[in-house]
Amino acid sequence: MRMRRRGAADPALAIPLETPHLILRDFAARDFEAVHAYSSLDEVTRFLVWGPNTPLQTRQTIQAYLDDQKEKPRQNFDLAIVRKGEGRRGAGQRLIGGVGLKLCDGENLTGEVGYALHPDYWGQGYALEAARMIVHAGFGDLGLQRIIGTCDQRNKASARVMEKLGMRREGVFRQSKYIQGEWRDEFLYAILAAEFLR
């Protein structure tokens, strides 16, 4: 789906993105162990449409990210969340999760945000910091009009992140997805560029 941006040929984020505590960069093949460390955990994936991953599934996921990076124009911006280290440049930096922005409706300038973190880093504000940065880039760099996010209704932590981003709950979907052997109820959240950027 090609983006319909005023005066620009292809959508692009200025990657890497940087926040006070994090670097958001493209995934690389060398990230397998760090990605598998969280994507293979039940507690991380129990509310998600994927996982827990086998080693093969994690390798396939990373390969899909690498393939997405080559697309022209790029539609999926899945980025590694890397916590900045202390001391010298690059020292102690650790991949702690992933955040993504998918261009899901190019004609209507709409993207979808998602995120997953290793549980060792839950409750420290990293998911919100990463999501806020990629949403900001989606509105600023890509010229999006609207960004949505969904979560299982039981996933209170994810709902809180979206609410703290200023997203509004716009919908409640009953048994909308069949995930890991059961029908799931979902919330739909959304925010407009004018609401986020003011």
Side-chain angles (χ1 to χ4, degrees):
M1 229 173 288
R2 192 171 179 83
M3 291 291 293
R4 193 185 48 156
R5 274 186 71 204
R6 296 168 296 279
D10 292 339
L13 294 184
I15 300 168
L17 304 172
E18 194 165 335
T19 74
H21 304 104
L22 305 171
I23 296 168
L24 309 181
R25 63 160 173 81
D26 276 324
F27 282 98
R30 69 178 182 275
D31 295 326
F32 168 78
E33 286 185 20
V35 172
H36 195 62
Y38 68 85
S39 66
S40 61
L41 298 176
D42 287 327
E43 61 264 44
V44 171
T45 63
R46 69 181 164 145
F47 295 129
L48 302 179
V49 296
W50 54 267
N53 282 359
T54 64
L56 176 59
Q57 288 169 324
T58 298
R59 284 192 175 84
Q60 290 170 334
T61 297
I62 292 173
Q63 186 58 55
Y65 295 159
L66 299 177
D67 293 342
D68 287 341
Q69 292 166 21
K70 298 173 191 167
E71 280 192 358
K72 301 287 184 193
R74 187 167 172 181
Q75 302 297 307
N76 297 314
F77 298 88
D78 287 292
L79 304 179
I81 302 173
V82 178
R83 190 170 64 114
K84 292 180 180 176
E86 302 294 324
R88 71 184 186 280
R89 185 170 177 79
Q93 292 184 350
R94 182 180 298 271
L95 194 160
I96 63 171
V99 63
L101 184 65
K102 175 183 178 182
L103 306 183
C104 57
D105 184 350
E107 283 302 304
N108 293 298
L109 301 177
T110 300
E112 182 173 4
V113 66
Y115 37 81
L117 276 184
H118 192 287
D120 288 353
Y121 302 94
W122 288 357
Q124 299 175 52
Y126 293 133
L128 177 60
E129 190 170 331
R132 182 175 283 133
M133 184 70 246
I134 204 165
V135 167
H136 183 273
F139 287 133
D141 293 350
L142 302 182
L144 296 178
Q145 162 65 13
R146 171 179 161 89
I147 293 178
I148 65 169
T150 62
C151 68
D152 186 297
Q153 290 184 26
R154 297 168 296 177
N155 193 346
K156 299 192 186 324
S158 184
R160 274 195 306 274
V161 168
M162 289 187 275
E163 288 163 2
K164 287 180 180 178
L165 279 171
M167 301 177 90
R168 290 187 201 173
R169 187 182 300 168
E170 291 190 348
V172 177
F173 300 110
R174 295 181 305 144
Q175 297 188 9
S176 57
K177 288 193 179 160
Y178 191 73
I179 300 171
Q180 299 179 24
E182 63 177 335
W183 287 102
R184 304 286 186 94
D185 299 333
E186 283 188 306
F187 290 135
L188 168 70
Y189 285 85
I191 189 167
L192 303 178
E195 294 170 336
F196 184 80
L197 297 172
R198 70 171 166 237

